[in-house]
């Protein structure tokens, strides 16, 4: 199975994950500072910054894109409950 | 009480409603003498603004007062400082009666407005700090004050009168038809109580909001609930600044990170683990660890402690498959303070099943704490080796608190193992 490496910059932990993993599946377990509200792509509580590796993330869905726009997110921001890691190296941090 | 509007400044009127019978507000807040839903009308030379509305049941009263100071076709501006239903209950009908009016809301309020009116096809202007709207000879300036107490909240300043329409900020649940702070009964308790229950969880945002408000000239503060503050309005701003400060001076160095460890113990096993966790954490420079037996205190002061702490640890035995009630009582009392992003952890001794630790960890995550170190569980009496595990756990927590945790690479499967079970 293809793998990817996600680094949570705020706690200095890199997790090797199967391609297709959503950040929400691991960020809490590893103790990173990304926090969640609704957990279904509506409230934007889990907005996080992709420090590097955006090209290794899934495309924004229509729902995620709408919520990010409504919250004036920059192009570097994603919702941790929606975005999937597709491969390679990705570095994220809360905010 | 007649349904007359009340002049609060030249061509500025209170057009709100009194609700003296209300006893419980929003489930969480009690009031011994009701509340008011304050709405206001500002007349300019070329336009009229309505600032907020009232709870739906009081719409008739609101419209009756409004009609005495403005015609619907004169209304050009509706400002919503905060979209909670107690202030927007009359909005749909007001929009229907005043079709010329344009809505002015904060940027964050947009999604809430769509949810409230159940329509995507709405004409409104999102505004931010410094944006203005002109009524002809009178200017409304907006101040974005998020999380006071909803993400959408803003204040609106009438420049020419140095009048701040402050929304829920500086408000309280206190109903007295005499309206002005120098005429109503003693509402100081209500003012403080409102702050403690509504604003306290957002104290960092309170400070940011005060940074915007304090430089303003303030002749009058007109909040969305309770008395209008015309006598010494700035004293209420100063009181907010005091309330938003830490409760006590921290005797430890400014750089010290505080870790509070709460435990409860049936046979002394979890207590011994707690001591070892504390000892371990104290080994890390820059950590001030404190130990509290939950049986020796009450919830309220412990909530105060948690508000000031950088990290919180809970030690609980497992009884009938659950953590014990005093811990859940404390964890269910944290809605009045901010715990987001604090470090959280759990540990405990158990006899048979030992679910308490992982249940507490899940709850801490639910409260938006970080839980980076898997908790230690010990079956019954901890051995010296198991107490070493507790000390290691404490050191790991201390390192996380002080940002000295080692960088590491792990496989995702390691995250889904059972909580660490110290072996003797």
């Amino acid at each position: 199975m293809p793998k990817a490496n996600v680094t949570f910059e705020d706690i200095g932990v890199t997790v090797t994950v199967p391609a297709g993993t959503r950040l929400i599946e691991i960020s809490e377990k590893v103790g990173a500072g990304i926090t969640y509200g609704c957990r279904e792509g509506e409230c934007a509580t889990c907005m996080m910054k992709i420090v590097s590796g955006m090209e290794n993330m899934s495309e924004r869905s229509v729902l995620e894109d709408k919520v990010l726009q409504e919250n004036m997110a920059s192009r570097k921001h994603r919702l941790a409950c929606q975005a999937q890691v597709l491969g390679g190296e990705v570095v994220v941090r809360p905010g | 009480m007649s349904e007359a509007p009340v002049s609060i400044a030249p061509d500025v009127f209170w057009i709100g409603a009194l609700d003296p019978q209300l006893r419980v507000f929003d489930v969480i807040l009690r009031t011994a003498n009701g509340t008011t839903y304050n709405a206001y009308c500002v007349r300019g030379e070329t336009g009229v603004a309505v600032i907020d509305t009232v709870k739906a049941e009081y719409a008739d009263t609101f419209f009756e007062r409004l009609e005495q100071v403005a015609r619907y076709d004169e209304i050009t501006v509706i400002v919503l400082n905060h979209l909670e239903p107690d202030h927007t209950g009359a909005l749909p009908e007001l929009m229907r009666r005043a079709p010329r009016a344009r809505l002015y809301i904060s940027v964050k309020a947009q999604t809430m407005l769509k949810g409230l009116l159940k329509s995507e096809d709405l004409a409104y202007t999102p505004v931010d700090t410094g944006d203005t709207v002109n009524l002809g000879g009178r200017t409304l300036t907006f101040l974005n004050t998020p999380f006071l107490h909803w993400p959408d909240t803003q204040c609106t300043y009438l420049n020419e009168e140095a009048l701040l329409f402050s929304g829920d900020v500086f408000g309280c649940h206190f109903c007295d038809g005499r309206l002005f702070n120098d005429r109503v009964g003693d509402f100081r308790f209500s003012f403080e109580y409102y702050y403690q229950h509504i604003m306290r969880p957002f104290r960092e945002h309170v400070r940011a909001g005060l940074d915007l408000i304090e430089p303003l000239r303030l002749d009058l503060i007109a909040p969305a609930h309770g008395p209008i503050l015309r006598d010494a309005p700035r004293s209420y701003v100063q009181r907010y600044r005091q309330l938003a400060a830490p409760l006590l001076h921290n005797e430890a160095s400014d750089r010290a990170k505080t870790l509070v460890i709460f435990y409860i113990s049936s046979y002394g096993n979890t207590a011994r683990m707690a001591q070892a966790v504390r000892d371990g954490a104290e080994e890390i420079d820059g950590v001030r660890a404190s130990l509290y037996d939950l049986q020796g205190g009450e919830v309220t002061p412990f909530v105060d402690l948690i508000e000031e702490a950088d990290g919180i640890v809970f030690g609980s035995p497992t009884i009938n498959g659950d953590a014990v009630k005093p811990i859940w009582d404390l964890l269910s009392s944290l809605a009045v303070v901010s715990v987001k992003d604090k470090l959280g952890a759990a540990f405990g001794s158990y006899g048979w099943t030992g679910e308490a630790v992982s249940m507490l960890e899940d709850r801490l995550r639910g409260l938006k704490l970080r839980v980076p170190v898997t908790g230690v569980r010990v079956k019954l009496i901890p051995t010296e080796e198991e107490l070493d595990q507790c000390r290691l756990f404490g050191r790991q927590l201390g390192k996380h608190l002080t940002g000295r945790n080692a960088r590491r690479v792990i496989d995702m499967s390691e995250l889904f193992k059972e909580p660490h079970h110290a072996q003797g």
Side-chain angles (χ1 to χ4, degrees):
Chain A
M1 182 183 286
K3 296 277 188 180
N5 285 324
V6 183
T7 299
F8 295 93
E9 199 180 59
D10 61 329
I11 54 168
V13 176
T14 302
V15 187
T16 304
V17 301
T21 301
R22 287 179 201 275
L23 271 297
I24 190 173
E25 296 174 54
I26 47 174
S27 82
E28 289 176 298
K29 280 283 187 188
V30 80
I34 298 166
T35 55
Y36 296 87
C38 70
R39 296 169 186 268
E40 52 188 27
E42 195 177 321
C43 73
T45 303
C46 66
M47 201 153 75
M48 62 174 176
K49 187 170 184 187
I50 309 293
V51 179
S52 65
M54 185 66 96
E55 69 279 10
N56 294 322
M57 302 296 294
S58 59
E59 293 289 314
R60 294 179 177 188
S61 68
V62 175
L63 171 72
E64 187 187 353
D65 195 52
K66 175 171 171 280
V67 172
L68 286 168
Q69 282 190 33
E70 283 173 349
N71 286 278
M72 296 177 300
S74 79
R75 283 183 302 171
K76 292 188 169 178
H77 283 91
R78 298 294 300 268
L79 299 180
C81 72
Q82 300 293 307
Q84 293 168 283
V85 187
L86 300 182
E89 305 283 331
V90 176
V91 179
V92 304
R93 67 176 160 86
Chain B
M1 185 76 199
S2 68
E3 310 291 313
V6 178
S7 173
I8 66 167
D11 276 333
V12 183
F13 303 91
W14 175 84
I15 54 170
L18 307 176
D19 184 358
Q21 301 308 322
L22 185 83
R23 291 295 174 268
V24 179
F25 185 87
D26 267 6
V27 185
I28 59 167
L29 215 58
R30 297 204 295 168
T31 170
N33 66 344
T35 193
T36 66
Y37 309 106
N38 297 336
Y40 302 95
C41 177
V42 181
R43 294 195 58 92
E45 291 161 9
T46 56
V48 169
V50 172
I51 319 276
D52 292 325
T53 76
V54 298
K55 198 173 178 180
E57 296 95 293
Y58 294 88
D60 290 347
T61 306
F62 163 78
F63 287 119
E64 199 176 327
R65 290 197 165 102
L66 173 58
E67 285 166 12
Q68 295 174 63
V69 292
R71 295 192 321 271
Y72 290 114
D73 64 1
E74 291 180 303
I75 300 170
T76 50
V77 171
I78 299 171
V79 174
L80 301 172
N81 280 333
H82 169 35
L83 269 61
E84 203 170 0
D86 53 325
H87 308 298
T88 52
L91 177 66
E93 179 61 15
L94 178 62
M95 290 170 70
R96 198 186 63 76
R97 294 188 189 190
R100 284 186 65 207
R102 185 151 188 100
L103 282 176
Y104 290 80
I105 59 174
S106 73
V107 172
K108 265 283 189 189
Q110 298 173 80
T111 52
M112 187 56 61
L113 185 72
K114 290 169 187 168
L116 195 71
L117 300 178
K118 301 299 177 200
S119 170
E120 292 281 322
D121 184 26
L122 293 164
Y124 59 82
T125 302
V127 290
D128 204 346
T129 299
D131 290 343
T132 59
V133 59
N134 196 312
L135 301 171
R138 318 201 94 174
T139 309
L140 296 173
T141 302
F142 300 101
L143 289 81
N144 187 32
T145 53
F147 293 99
L148 304 181
H149 62 114
W150 269 19
D152 65 333
T153 41
Q154 62 177 359
C155 296
T156 303
Y157 185 68
L158 176 56
N159 298 9
E160 292 76 10
E161 302 298 334
L163 195 174
L164 184 70
F165 298 103
S166 60
D168 283 339
V169 185
F170 312 124
C172 64
H173 291 310
F174 188 87
C175 183
D176 189 323
R178 293 171 292 185
L179 284 186
F180 294 98
N181 66 329
D182 53 325
R183 295 184 59 207
V184 299
D186 190 339
F187 67 101
R188 288 175 296 178
F189 164 79
S190 305
F191 185 88
E192 304 265 326
Y193 179 82
Y194 189 89
Y195 178 91
Q196 293 298 346
H197 288 78
I198 298 289
M199 298 297 167
R200 184 179 174 186
F202 308 104
R203 87 178 168 177
E204 285 173 24
H205 296 282
V206 171
R207 291 188 199 124
L210 292 174
D211 288 344
L212 291 178
I213 291 168
E214 283 170 342
L216 301 172
R217 197 182 116 203
L218 291 172
D219 289 349
L220 193 65
I221 296 175
H225 292 291
I228 295 165
L229 309 171
R230 71 177 175 189
D231 180 55
R234 192 164 290 279
S235 66
Y236 300 91
V237 180
Q238 289 164 347
R239 183 63 184 144
Y240 259 48
R241 185 59 86 174
Q242 290 170 345
L243 291 167
L247 292 173
L248 278 173
H249 164 69
N250 185 359
E251 304 87 344
S253 136
D254 285 347
R255 285 169 298 161
K257 296 289 183 184
T258 53
L259 185 71
V260 289
I261 302 164
F262 297 99
Y263 68 92
I264 196 156
S265 192
S266 319
Y267 294 98
N269 298 326
T270 301
R272 290 180 66 205
M273 293 177 71
Q275 184 74 50
V277 174
R278 201 262 304 262
D279 292 347
E282 285 278 353
E283 288 176 31
I284 305 301
D285 275 347
V287 173
R288 185 191 202 193
S290 315
L291 205 52
Y292 298 95
D293 183 347
L294 273 177
Q295 295 190 94
E298 291 168 18
V299 166
T300 302
F302 287 150
V303 171
D304 293 347
L305 270 168
I306 288 171
E307 184 179 29
E308 301 295 331
D310 298 301
I312 319 161
V313 190
F314 290 94
S316 175
T318 298
I319 296 182
N320 291 342
D322 198 356
V324 294
K325 187 170 182 295
I327 290 187
W328 291 127
D329 286 346
L330 180 53
L331 284 170
S332 67
S333 303
L334 298 179
V336 297
V337 297
S338 173
V339 291
K340 189 181 170 193
D341 296 334
K342 291 183 193 291
L343 180 83
F347 62 90
S349 160
Y350 66 97
W352 295 99
T353 51
E355 298 93 330
V357 172
S358 56
M359 291 171 97
L360 290 172
E361 289 173 337
D362 283 343
R363 175 66 180 146
L364 292 169
R365 290 188 189 104
L367 288 168
K368 299 185 172 62
L369 283 90
R370 297 181 294 123
V371 187
V373 187
T374 304
V376 181
R377 301 189 308 156
V378 169
K379 193 168 178 76
L380 292 171
I381 302 164
T383 63
E384 264 316 304
E385 290 76 12
E386 287 168 333
L387 291 174
D388 281 343
Q389 292 275 5
C390 294
R391 281 184 278 270
L392 173 64
F393 176 64
R395 285 196 297 277
Q396 289 172 328
L397 293 174
K399 286 180 179 173
H400 269 278
L401 266 186
T402 53
R404 294 206 290 270
N405 50 305
R407 300 189 76 83
R408 59 195 175 109
V409 179
I410 56 173
D411 191 81
M412 182 171 165
S413 59
E414 292 177 45
L415 298 174
F416 293 89
K417 287 179 183 165
E418 283 295 296
H420 182 73
H421 182 179
Q423 297 295 325

